Every structure is written in structure tokens, then in C-alpha cells.
RNA sequence: GCCGAAGUGGCGGAACUGGCAGACGCGCCGGACUCAAAAUCCGGUGGGGCUCACCCCCCGUGUGGGUUCGACUCCCACCUUCGGCACCA
């Protein structure tokens, strides 16, 4: 094979794309003698075309997959489609004449083609789409497993409703101060009967096992930790005065219970109506409750929202003192957290303090800070620190940390309360009032109630012919053929569940399906899952830090408990890539700063696009797009071409290993080659710093250009051959097409992507001379070249003997000499 | 408000364990090639000073302190930007 003079990326990329596909170069065996490596990038939602974020994600993943393959691993590197979801349905509603399924499939075709153009080394035989009945059958099956285990349940609750998406949302999908994660519309509350997963049962395990995830960014773990929001404290029951009722509160400060001067309920607390019935305050409280509930989450939780409240007329008794305190309702108490009721301790809680001052409620100090006397009358803020318990009966004198334990013990002994751990995590709402999702496999029978669809009847097929109208009800409810079913239990007439599942359910298990994507008898082949999982490297955007990653962890733990998988965590290592920016801002249609991957690939080729995106910034950081930077990478590949292509004849004729001891330029050239191998290997494997790996390769090319200038007679052909071969091998994961073309064009048989990763020879790195930096009083004043490996004393002697050192230290007293072997000598003189 | 990350040339970024700040790339300047241009190749390029040729000196990694022979790197205080959470009792 001969190589053209000019680098024709179009022809080269097209050729290898076809050949690799024909040869199924990236097909992976299920089991192999080689160690396994599961390299996974987050699969995309097929929204239309790939954007730069995708290109970045898949380029990063491909470098790792190819690198690991060359290092001798059996690498599973699959791709698929998170294919259910709202945009497809919204497109159908908007345009009327396009079906979500057709829209989705068309997008998949486009994006699959783009990924192939990009040259990503996927095993396409394993491609999956979550909207395929062969896939969602198992999504439904998994729902049933959770249902049978009591982890899927239906309940009526105030849920988040997005009026724009006309569906409910999980808590995790409500962001900021109460807006929809997808469309940024303000979310409303609605009372609805919905399906939930009991993720709260797993709160503690999800928290504890974060410790196992040493390969995850600290940032993501902290976000999950905060989201789970564990807090320790106590539950205390306060009897209502004159009624046979009690109010249970959750507090993290049971040591302050003697400082309670009032009680507050959330406006929506079920007891409110009972408390006010027949009282003078009833009307006022009702209108207050209505007023607060009317306000959206956004207004109610705004940072500067003022705390307001109202006396109910009722009182309750402090179970430890017997003292009677008023019960209020207030906007700052949330029904969803804890018990929806709070004991008011103004002296030791800032919110309670502000509230008490506003409504002239008494402040009672029960914790005295060391060396200070708090006076309720003059306090300007709550004291929340440590101290000694006072005004607290038998607990007086106890340090408050001990007090916490003592009070809990006391409560438990007297049956007044108990120690309790509380979590901020809520159960996962999975119902969606939409068509384009996996139907929830449940039927409702008037006689039998809620009946799960038997496994043999799966999948519950999504009908094709439905009317898309944004009614707030699933379009399936208007589809009689779907709606009417026979009850699996009694055979009588029944009604199907018309809600579909949150698409996060589909994406919580897809990485298991890749191991046996066409398996028909089970969700996956257990032996294969046990072999491949957990995923060794997962790569994706940090926006999934909570949603997808938490749900996937939850699913994995459930599957583990069900004996369906053997791993307790799904993803061993996680890499969260930064955003792609243009002019300092995230690329978006509205800002008009989008760079289209299509155009870049058309103009410069896939290799250049990949190289630039990997070179411009380290993966975790945001990347600033630069057209000129792309230009530079294109120039570099051309430079590689012009360097290697003319060697097509010469290279195969050269010996592959340099013979004997090398000297001069040949020795230097070989050292550079091996230094580069070391640097690139470490940058990829240890640090994921692809940008510095690429610059090291560039330096090797620069070095080869220099080497080429040396008279031919002085050059060692074997050194040249080794350098060029190493260059191509190192470049292969980054720019797979040009590396392949040049590899096979320089007389090599077989794909470069099946070659072993080069290893460096430590002996080649050794320099015979090293440059020692000479500092005087910490400032660089000279440099001395000394033989490698001389003793520290000799190094110091040589440095001190330098004319310049003598000159600069003349008339001064040398107080100290600090030698760093092989590197530096600092002389302290005055 | 709380939690987290980041501040380095004209720009993207590098400096791995406290040891030559600015690798590599872009841009810019100069040279070679050319009738000319593009492309390419070679060289220069943080700021300031100086007998602006050589040499040499000073300043310089958000700000102000500190530790150290030596600090982009460690410590304290602060400023700015970005991301997450948001009355969590």
C-alpha cells in the first residue's frame, strides 16, 4: 500500500469506517482469557443530532476503550438510546403529523450515523433502545420485581406537577426554587394518586456505600450525601391540651427540649383542622392556610421570604415539664420533612428565634455557652453552639452533647419519644401522565383491586395509534383498546394503568442489558452480568450527579437483594466531564453560539474534531470552543502525515530494534520516544489528562522533524522506525483513522487498533548528563551540567567552583547550602 | 445563607511529591521558499529597566499576611467567577 502525498481525511475515514465495520473490528467476546474492562459512556436521548457535549463524552470514552484494548483488556464498549421521553411526544403534539416512535427512530438513525462517522469503537451488535418492546418488556418485569418486594406502591400525595410538560415529576426533577428540570417551568402541587418506589428504604445503604466509591469525584459524592440528607435526633410526642391527640415532632436537638416555648405545625398538617374546630381562630387560620398553600414553592421558599404564622387557639404540653405552650401554624414548617411539626426553641434555633421575636413569644435559655451568660432579653440571635444544660431539671449541668443522649434515653424510658434518624430523601415518584414511556404493568379490577400483570403477559405493548393532546392525562386513557383488559386474577373486566414510567427507570438498568442485549428469556444472562459488572469506567455529564446516578445505585442494590446481580454498586469509577462553551457560555440555540459537529467533521474530519476536543482542556473542566484551535489540530495531523507518508518505503526496510549502544542524536531521539511513551501512558491511565498526552505527542513530532534534519548518514534507521511506530501507536486512540492509514501504509499488516500498547524502556530514559539549577538566596543565578549520578558532595563542589557563583558570593558569608540531588543547589549567603 | 470547584501571558492551557513559572497549541512578529500569495519550513514572543547587539537586573500565578533556604503548590484572612443545595427543625 502506498500513501498519498496529501492527507485526504475524507477518503481515509470513509475507507476505514467501512473496513472496520466489515471486519467487525470492535466486536467483543463475552468471555475471554484477557481481563475484562467495561467502559461505558452515558447513552444519549435521541433528540435529533449529536451536539458537542456528546462528541466530547464519546471521544473521551473512546480514547479509554481503545487504550485499554491495546493494553490487553477485553473491553466492553457499547452504545444505545435512552429513547423514551417527552420531547418525542411534544414534537408529535406540536407538528401533529409525526409519531413519537417515528420521530425517535429517525433521530436514532441520524445519531448512529454520526457516531459511526466519529469513529467510536462500539460493538454495534449490542445496541439497545429503551423504547423497543424487547427492552421495555424487562423494564416492566423489573417494575414487577419491585412491586412483589413491596418496593413499588401507590399513594395519594401532594406531588410536583409541571403544567408545561403536563405530567408529574420526581423530587429530583424539580430544581432550584421549584422549577421543572427539563423546561424550567414553575412547578405546582397537586394531590394525586401515584406510583412510588421506596428508595427511602435504601437511604442508609446509599449513604454508607458512597465510601466504597473511591473512584468517584468527591463533588458527586457530596451532592448525593446532601441529597440523602441524613440527620440524627429524636422524635418527641407532645399531648394536645384538653384533647385526645398528640403532636409528634422530629428534632436534632433533644437537649433543648426544656427551652420549648411554642409548637408549630405546617399549614397542611392533618391535625390543624381538628385543633381549630369550634375556636374563635378557626376562620383566620383557615384563610392563612389557604393563603400559604396558594403560594407556589418558589415564593414560599424564597430565601428572603418572611416567616409568618398564626396561633391556632390550641395548646400542648411539654412532656418533660408538663408546661403548656401555644400551638401555631407557620409557613416555614414543611409538611414533607420530618413529621411536619416543629418544637419552637427560640434561644437555640435561629429560625425559631426570628419567629419568636416577631410574634413576641418567650425565649428561654437552656444551654449556656462556656464563660458567657446568655440573657434572653438582650440576645440578638440564637445560640446554636455547644454548652452546659441549664433550666433543664434533672439534666442541669450536663454538657449538651451528653444531654442529647441522656434526654433520648429518658424519653424512651418514659415512653415519651425515641431516638430517630431522619432523611431528606423522598420516595421516587415514577408515574408519568404521558404516552411515550414504558406502560406500568398493572390493571385495576373492581373486584380484585390492584393486580400486577403476570410475567407471561409482558410486555404490555404501547399501542401505536393514539391521539396526542396535552390534556394532563396519559393519551393511553383515551385509547379503549389499551384501557380495557381482562383481570389476570378473576378474568372479569378491568382497566389498565394508563400512566407510563419515568424514563429514569429505563436508564437505571441499561448497563446490565448490554451484556446480553438480545436475551429473550431474562432481563440479562446472570453469568455475563457477573462477568462484566460493575462498570469499570463510567463517563458522562455532571448534571446526572443525583438523578440518574442515584437511581442506578438504588436499582443495583435492589437487584443485589433479589439475587439478580452480584455487585452492590454499578459504577466503580466515574468521570464527570465539563461543558463545552463558546464565548464563555454554554452552547444553546437561544444564545446562537452553537458549533455543529457535522460541519466540523465535514470540514476537518473526525480525527481533527476528536483531537481538538481532547486537547483543548482536561476532561473534568469546561472546554472553551475555538475555531482556531481546531485549525491547529488539523495542521498537526497534516504535519504527522507529511512526516510519516514519505517514509512508506524506507520504514519497513529498517531494523525494528536499534542495535548496540546509541550516541548523540540517535540516543536523544530514542530517549524522546521513550519519554513520550511514558508520559502518554501515565496521562491516559492515571490522570485522564488527555490534553497533556496530546501535547506530548506533538512534542515527539516536533522532535522527529528536528531529527529529520540530521544528515542521513548520522541517523539510525531503527531509531527512526521505532519513533514513528511509537508515534502512530500513541496517536491511535485519539485519531484512529489517520493512525490506521499510516500504520498500514508503512508496511504493517493488521489493524493498529489490535496492536499492543508500547512500553517504554527505562534504560532509554537515562540521561548521561543533568542540568543543575543554581540558586543564590532562592533566585536562579546559574546552571551547571554535571554527569548523572555524581554524589551530592561532588555536585555541591562543582557548583561552588563555578566562576559565576564565586563572583556572586564574593565577600559574602555562605551560611547554608541546600542540595537537591540531580536537580538544584540553593546557596544561602549574606 | 450552606456546600463544592476554579482564579496563571493577548487566548486555551502546562508545571505530577514545595525546587528553572508559562510545556503544548492558538494568535502575533521576523526569516526562508515564491514573480506574488496561500500552504509549508525555521526562529522569536510575560511585563519593565539597562551602555534596548551581547550580558545583566527588577517585577510577575486574584488580594493581603504567614511558614520555608525556596511557595502557582502549604497555612490564615479576604475578593471574584462558576456549579450544587435552599427555611431540612
Amino acid at each position: 500500500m502506498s500513501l498519498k502525498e496529501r492527507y485526504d481525511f475524507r477518503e481515509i475515514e470513509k475507507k476505514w469506517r467501512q473496513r472496520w465495520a466489515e471486519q467487525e473490528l470492535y466486536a467483543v467476546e463475552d468471555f475471554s482469557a484477557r481481563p475484562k474492562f467495561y467502559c461505558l459512556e452515558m447513552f444519549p436521548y435521541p433528540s435529533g443530532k449529536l451536539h458537542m457535549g456528546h462528541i466530547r463524552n464519546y471521544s473521551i470514552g473512546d480514547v479509554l476503550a481503545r487504550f485499554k484494548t491495546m493494553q490487553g483488556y477485553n473491553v466492553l464498549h457499547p452504545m444505545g438510546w435512552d429513547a423514551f421521553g417527552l420531547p418525542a411526544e411534544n414534537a408529535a403534539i406540536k407538528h401533529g403529523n409525526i409519531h413519537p416512535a417515528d420521530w425517535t427512530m429517525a433521530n436514532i438513525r441520524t445519531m448512529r450515523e454520526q457516531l459511526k462517522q466519529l469513529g467510536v469503537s462500539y460493538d454495534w451488535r449490542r445496541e439497545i433502545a429503551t423504547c423497543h418492546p424487547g427492552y421495555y418488556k424487562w423494564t416492566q418485569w423489573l417494575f414487577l420485581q419491585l412491586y412483589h418486594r413491596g418496593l413499588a406502591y401507590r399513594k395519594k400525595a401532594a406531588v410536583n406537577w409541571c403544567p408545561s410538560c403536563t405530567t408529574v415529576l420526581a423530587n429530583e426533577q424539580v430544581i432550584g426554587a421549584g422549577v421543572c428540570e427539563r423546561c424550567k417551568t414553575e412547578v405546582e402541587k397537586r394531590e394525586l394518586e401515584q406510583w412510588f418506589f421506596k428508595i427511602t428504604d435504601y437511604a442508609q445503604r446509599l449513604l454508607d456505600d458512597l465510601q466504597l466509591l473511591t473512584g468517584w469525584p468527591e463533588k458527586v459524592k457530596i451532592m448525593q450525601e446532601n441529597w440523602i440528607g441524613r440527620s440524627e435526633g429524636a422524635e418527641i410526642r407532645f399531648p394536645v391540651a384538653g384533647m385526645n391527640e398528640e403532636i409528634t415532632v422530629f428534632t436534632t436537638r433533644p437537649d433543648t427540649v426544656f427551652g420549648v416555648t411554642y409548637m408549630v405545625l405546617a399549614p397542611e398538617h392533618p391535625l390543624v383542622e381538628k385543633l381549630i374546630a369550634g375556636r374563635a381562630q378557626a376562620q383566620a387560620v383557615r384563610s392563612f392556610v389557604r393563603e400559604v398553600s396558594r403560594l407556589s414553592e418558589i415564593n414560599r421558599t424564597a430565601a428572603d421570604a418572611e416567616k409568618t404564622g398564626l396561633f391556632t387557639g390550641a395548646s400542648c404540653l411539654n412532656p418533660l415539664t408538663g408546661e403548656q405552650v401555644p400551638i401555631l401554624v407557620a409557613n416555614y414548617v414543611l409538611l414533607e420533612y420530618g413529621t411536619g411539626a416543629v418544637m419552637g426553641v427560640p434561644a437555640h434555633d435561629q429560625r425559631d428565634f426570628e419567629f419568636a421575636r416577631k410574634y413576641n413569644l418567650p425565649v428561654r435559655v437552656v444551654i449556656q455557652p462556656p464563660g458567657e451568660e446568655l440573657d434572653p432579653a438582650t440576645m440578638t440571635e440564637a445560640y446554636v453552639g455547644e454548652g452546659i444544660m441549664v433550666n433543664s431539671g434533672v439534666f442541669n449541668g450536663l454538657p449538651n452533647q451528653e444531654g442529647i443522649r441522656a434526654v433520648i434515653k429518658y424519653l424512651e424510658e418514659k415512653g415519651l419519644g425515641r431516638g430517630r434518624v431522619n432523611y431528606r430523601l423522598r420516595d421516587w415518584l415514577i408515574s408519568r401522565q404521558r404516552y411515550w414511556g414504558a406502560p406500568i404493568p398493572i390493571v385495576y379490577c373492581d373486584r380484585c383491586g390492584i393486580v400486577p400483570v403476570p410475567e407471561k403477559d409482558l410486555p404490555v405493548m404501547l399501542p401505536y395509534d393514539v391521539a396526542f393532546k396535552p390534556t394532563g392525562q396519559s393519551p393511553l386513557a383515551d385509547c379503549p383498546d389499551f384501557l380495557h383488559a381482562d383481570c389476570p386474577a378473576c378474568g372479569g373486566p378491568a382497566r389498565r394503568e394508563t400512566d407510563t414510567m419515568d424514563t429514569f427507570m429505563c436508564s437505571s438498568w441499561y448497563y446490565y442489558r448490554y451484556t446480553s442485549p438480545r436475551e429473550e428469556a431474562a432481563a440479562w444472562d446472570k453469568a455475563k452480568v457477573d462477568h462484566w459488572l460493575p462498570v469499570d469506567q463510567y463517563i458522562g455529564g455532571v448534571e446526572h450527579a443525583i438523578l440518574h446516578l442515584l437511581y442506578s445505585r438504588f436499582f443495583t442494590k435492589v437487584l443485589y437483594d433479589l439475587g439478580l446481580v452480584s455487585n452492590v454498586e454499578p459504577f466503580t469509577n466515574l468521570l464527570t466531564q465539563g461543558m463545552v462553551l463558546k464565548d464563555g457560555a454554554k452552547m444553546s440555540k437561544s444564545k446562537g453560539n452553537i458549533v455543529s459537529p457535522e460541519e466540523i467533521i465535514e470540514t476537518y474530519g473526525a480525527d481533527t474534531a476528536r483531537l481538538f476536543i481532547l486537547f483543548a482542556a482536561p476532561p473534568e473542566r469546561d472546554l472553551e470552543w475555538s475555531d482556531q484551535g481546531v485549525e491547529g489540530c488539523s495542521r498537526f495531523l497534516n504535519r504527522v502525515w507529511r512526516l510519516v507518508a514519505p517514509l512508506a518505503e524506507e520504514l519497513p526496510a529498517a531494523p525494528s530494534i536499534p542495535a548496540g549502544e546509541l550516541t548523540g542524536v540517535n540516543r536523544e531521539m530514542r530517549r524522546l520516544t521513550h519519554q513520550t511513551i511514558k508520559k502518554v501512558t501515565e496521562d491516559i491511565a492515571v490522570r485522564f489528562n488527555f490534553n497533556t498526552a496530546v501535547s506530548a505527542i506533538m512534542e515527539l513530532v516536533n522532535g522527529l522533524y528536528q531529527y529529520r534534519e540530521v544528515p542521513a548518514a548520522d541517523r539510525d534507521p531503527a531509531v527512526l522506525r521505532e519513533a514513528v511506530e511509537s508515534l502512530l501507536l500513541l496517536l491511535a486512540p485519539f485519531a484512529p483513522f489517520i493512525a490506521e492509514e499510516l500504520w498500514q501504509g508503512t508496511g504493517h499488516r493488521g489493524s493498529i487498533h489490535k496492536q499492543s500498547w508500547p512500553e517504554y524502556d527505562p534504560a532509554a530514559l537515562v540521561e548521561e548528563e543533568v542540568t543543575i539549577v543554581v540558586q543564590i538566596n532562592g533566585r536562579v543565578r546559574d546552571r551547571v551540567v554535571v554527569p548523572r549520578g555524581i554524589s551530592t558532595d561532588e555536585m555541591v563542589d562543582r557548583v561552588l567552583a563555578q566562576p559565576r557563583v564565586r563572583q556572586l558570593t564574593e565577600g559574602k558569608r555562605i551560611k547554608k547550602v541546600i542540595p537537591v540531588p540531580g536537580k538544584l543547589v540553593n546557596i544561602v549567603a549574606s
Side-chain angles (χ1 to χ4, degrees):
Chain A
M1 195 174 103
S2 71
L3 289 167
K4 288 193 174 176
E5 204 174 312
R6 219 175 61 80
Y7 167 43
D8 184 349
F9 67 83
R10 272 193 199 89
E11 188 191 313
I12 293 168
E13 294 185 0
K14 189 175 168 209
K15 176 173 83 182
W16 290 112
R17 207 153 46 228
Q18 280 170 2
R19 292 213 193 155
W20 292 341
E22 280 159 24
Q23 298 164 4
E24 294 203 323
L25 192 73
Y26 304 118
V28 57
E29 308 166 52
D30 282 318
F31 301 99
S32 153
R34 291 178 294 155
K36 71 97 182 179
F37 189 87
Y38 190 172
C39 179
L40 184 67
E41 298 112 51
M42 291 179 184
F43 68 166
Y45 175 76
S47 52
K49 291 175 178 175
L50 294 183
H51 55 67
M52 279 302 171
H54 290 127
I55 303 288
R56 190 172 193 199
N57 194 175
Y58 304 133
S59 298
I60 292 167
D62 199 38
V63 169
L64 278 171
R66 289 178 183 275
F67 172 70
K68 285 286 173 181
T69 301
M70 291 175 82
Q71 279 204 320
Y73 290 86
N74 189 35
V75 175
L76 177 57
H77 191 213
M79 181 40 67
W81 312 97
D82 188 10
F84 274 136
L86 282 177
E89 200 167 338
N90 290 342
I93 292 166
K94 196 169 166 194
H95 305 297
N97 57 351
I98 176 124
H99 192 277
D102 300 334
W103 185 86
T104 302
M105 293 320 282
N107 290 345
I108 289 177
R109 272 192 295 279
T110 308
M111 290 168 74
R112 183 197 294 127
E113 206 40 51
Q114 286 186 288
L115 287 173
K116 288 185 174 174
Q117 273 206 355
L118 193 61
V120 191
S121 62
Y122 295 127
D123 182 354
W124 283 105
R125 302 172 312 166
R126 294 173 184 265
E127 180 181 1
I128 56 175
T130 58
C131 66
H132 192 283
Y135 184 91
Y136 71 71
K137 172 182 178 176
W138 298 108
T139 306
Q140 293 171 341
W141 182 82
L142 287 165
F143 173 91
L144 293 177
Q145 305 314 304
L146 268 77
Y147 178 81
H148 293 314
R149 218 181 151 80
L151 292 170
Y153 68 99
R154 216 167 128 80
K155 90 174 168 192
K156 186 162 192 167
V159 296
N160 306 303
W161 175 267
C162 173
S164 159
C165 298
T166 64
T167 186
V168 297
L169 302 171
N171 286 313
E172 289 79 359
Q173 287 164 317
V174 180
I175 58 167
V179 300
C180 172
E181 171 241 353
R182 181 167 278 284
C183 65
K184 317 290 182 232
T185 306
E186 207 171 302
V187 167
E188 302 166 359
K189 287 280 178 196
R190 282 201 182 178
E191 281 281 326
L192 286 174
E193 181 105 3
Q194 299 284 292
W195 283 97
F196 290 86
F197 283 158
K198 263 194 186 167
I199 192 171
T200 51
D201 275 11
Y202 285 75
Q204 191 61 50
R205 279 165 73 186
L206 288 167
L207 183 65
D208 289 343
D209 287 358
L210 285 172
Q211 288 171 30
L212 303 175
L213 302 175
T214 51
W216 280 38
E218 215 52 41
K219 175 169 76 161
V220 173
K221 288 192 279 186
I222 289 169
M223 280 166 72
Q224 292 212 353
E225 201 179 306
N226 292 339
W227 190 261
I228 295 167
R230 181 192 153 103
S231 54
E232 287 178 20
E235 211 173 73
I236 307 175
R237 294 202 303 277
F238 287 66
V240 179
M243 285 174 81
N244 191 22
E245 295 285 351
E246 53 185 25
I247 295 169
T248 305
V249 299
F250 172 74
T251 177
T252 54
R253 294 295 302 274
D255 53 322
T256 66
V257 70
F258 287 83
V260 173
T261 57
Y262 63 98
M263 173 68 60
V264 216
L265 300 182
E268 304 87 344
H269 196 284
L271 216 54
V272 171
E273 193 51 42
K274 269 187 201 163
L275 293 179
I276 58 173
R279 292 188 198 272
Q281 288 86 351
Q283 276 317 317
V285 171
R286 278 193 200 108
S287 68
F288 173 80
V289 169
R290 226 175 302 128
E291 185 65 21
V292 173
S293 322
R294 200 181 53 79
L295 281 177
S296 63
E297 195 96 346
I298 258 190
N299 293 318
R300 198 169 151 187
T301 61
D304 51 356
E306 202 178 338
K307 294 173 179 39
T308 57
L310 210 58
F311 180 44
T312 59
S315 301
C316 64
L317 303 171
N318 187 326
L320 272 78
T321 61
E323 189 183 2
Q324 191 159 324
V325 294
I327 305 174
L328 294 88
V329 287
N331 64 344
Y332 75 95
V333 178
L334 308 171
L335 182 68
E336 300 82 34
Y337 185 77
T339 61
V342 174
M343 60 182 212
V345 186
H348 305 293
D349 181 284
Q350 187 57 27
R351 288 156 307 178
D352 295 348
F353 183 83
E354 287 164 23
F355 191 73
R357 282 287 191 250
K358 177 168 175 184
Y359 292 102
N360 284 319
L361 294 157
V363 175
R364 181 185 303 152
V365 171
V366 292
I367 307 290
Q368 279 295 358
E372 204 185 326
E373 189 83 358
L374 291 177
D375 177 4
T378 56
M379 284 170 79
T380 53
E381 57 177 15
Y383 177 74
V384 297
E386 310 280 288
I388 301 296
M389 291 176 73
V390 296
N391 299 325
S392 297
V394 297
F395 300 99
N396 280 341
L398 274 185
N400 73 304
Q401 284 302 326
E402 262 174 64
I404 289 175
R405 289 188 294 272
V407 170
I408 290 173
K409 190 163 168 251
Y410 182 84
L411 289 168
E412 287 175 350
E413 280 167 7
K414 302 280 174 178
L416 303 170
R418 61 185 177 96
R420 181 179 146 176
V421 174
N422 199 52
Y423 300 92
R424 213 142 45 177
L425 182 69
R426 309 283 82 194
D427 274 343
W428 175 13
L429 193 168
I430 59 143
S431 304
R432 294 293 179 272
Q433 290 69 46
R434 302 296 296 220
Y435 162 75
W436 193 234
I440 296 173
I442 290 287
V443 294
Y444 301 101
C445 170
D446 288 340
R447 248 183 298 177
C448 313
I450 298 175
V451 183
V453 174
E455 290 180 14
K456 66 174 171 54
D457 295 340
L458 297 181
V460 175
M461 290 286 285
L462 203 54
Y464 186 86
D465 284 313
V466 291
F468 301 104
K469 289 173 290 183
T471 59
Q473 247 203 347
S474 168
L476 295 175
D478 293 329
C479 182
D481 287 351
F482 179 84
L483 191 61
H484 301 304
D486 298 334
C487 171
C490 70
R495 194 166 45 75
R496 271 191 204 286
E497 168 66 66
T498 57
D499 286 351
T500 52
M501 287 185 245
D502 180 9
T503 54
F504 277 106
M505 163 112 194
C506 308
S507 56
S508 290
W509 71 280
Y510 76 106
Y511 41 94
Y512 292 109
R513 185 67 182 172
Y514 280 134
T515 61
S516 36
R518 306 289 174 260
E519 176 64 57
E520 289 187 11
W524 53 77
D525 179 324
K526 176 95 185 337
K528 290 178 182 172
V529 156
D530 283 353
H531 176 254
W532 283 111
L533 273 287
V535 171
D536 295 281
Q537 183 66 57
Y538 199 31
I539 306 152
V542 73
E543 65 273 18
H544 293 108
I546 294 168
L547 294 153
H548 165 60
L549 291 168
L550 190 65
Y551 294 148
S552 295
R553 294 185 59 225
F554 162 62
F555 248 69
T556 292
K557 292 185 188 306
V558 173
L559 297 172
Y560 177 82
D561 291 347
L562 288 163
L564 293 167
V565 304
S566 305
N567 51 299
V568 293
E569 284 288 337
F571 314 120
T572 307
N573 295 293
L574 175 70
L575 177 64
T576 51
Q577 103 224 9
M579 287 187 297
V580 182
L581 310 177
K582 179 80 198 292
D583 309 320
K586 187 177 177 174
M587 287 188 187
S588 75
K589 265 187 201 151
S590 57
K591 292 200 192 80
N593 61 347
I594 291 188
V595 180
S596 133
E598 274 178 311
E599 282 174 35
I600 296 297
I601 292 174
E602 175 56 29
T603 315
Y604 298 100
D607 279 341
T608 294
R610 294 168 56 121
L611 195 71
F612 168 71
I613 222 159
L614 294 162
F615 176 61
E620 301 249 14
R621 255 209 259 179
D622 287 348
L623 180 153
E624 175 68 30
W625 186 267
S626 154
D627 290 332
Q628 284 164 333
V630 178
E631 200 76 56
C633 286
S634 170
R635 211 174 297 165
F636 169 70
L637 290 181
N638 274 286
R639 203 165 141 80
V640 172
W641 185 271
R642 283 191 307 272
L643 175 74
V644 180
L647 302 173
E649 307 294 321
E650 182 183 340
L651 221 54
S656 47
I657 298 161
E661 191 77 355
L662 294 170
T663 54
V665 285
N666 291 314
R667 194 182 161 93
E668 277 169 36
M669 186 65 238
R670 182 151 194 268
R671 184 186 307 129
L672 177 62
T673 301
H674 286 262
Q675 269 170 357
T676 308
I677 295 171
K678 180 169 192 280
K679 169 90 175 137
V680 173
T681 307
E682 286 168 3
D683 281 354
I684 299 178
V686 185
R687 311 197 310 152
F688 296 131
N689 278 8
F690 306 123
N691 56 332
T692 49
V694 172
S695 46
I697 297 173
M698 287 173 169
E699 285 178 80
L700 176 60
V701 171
N702 292 345
L704 272 161
Y705 267 83
Q706 301 280 319
Y707 186 63
R708 210 179 49 171
E709 297 299 310
V710 172
D714 297 338
R715 283 191 317 228
D716 184 332
V719 168
L720 181 68
R721 176 171 173 163
E722 188 191 40
V724 171
E725 284 180 343
S726 303
L727 165 66
L728 296 178
L729 290 166
L730 297 176
L731 191 61
F734 298 94
F737 294 105
I738 189 175
E740 182 78 299
E741 176 74 7
L742 290 173
W743 181 257
Q744 301 212 22
T746 47
H748 299 89
R749 245 177 267 159
S751 173
I752 192 169
H753 304 297
K754 293 285 175 188
Q755 303 303 311
S756 292
W757 188 252
E759 282 182 36
Y760 68 90
D761 174 3
L765 300 179
V766 174
E767 304 191 42
E768 50 271 53
E769 288 181 321
V770 288
T771 303
I772 302 295
V773 170
V774 182
Q775 293 185 339
I776 294 171
N777 294 330
R779 290 167 175 280
V780 180
R781 285 291 182 264
D782 202 4
R783 265 160 253 257
V784 189
V785 176
V786 301
R788 171 184 60 86
I790 61 167
S791 72
T792 304
D793 287 348
E794 196 177 342
M795 176 176 81
V796 170
D797 288 347
R798 285 195 188 214
V799 164
L800 291 176
Q802 287 294 307
R804 184 154 164 73
V805 172
R806 285 161 166 260
Q807 181 199 325
L808 287 168
T809 54
E810 196 172 13
K812 289 179 178 167
R813 194 167 60 87
I814 296 180
K815 292 206 273 190
K816 206 171 177 184
V817 176
I818 297 121
V820 181
K823 264 189 186 159
L824 170 145
V825 174
N826 189 13
I827 299 159
V828 186
S830 61

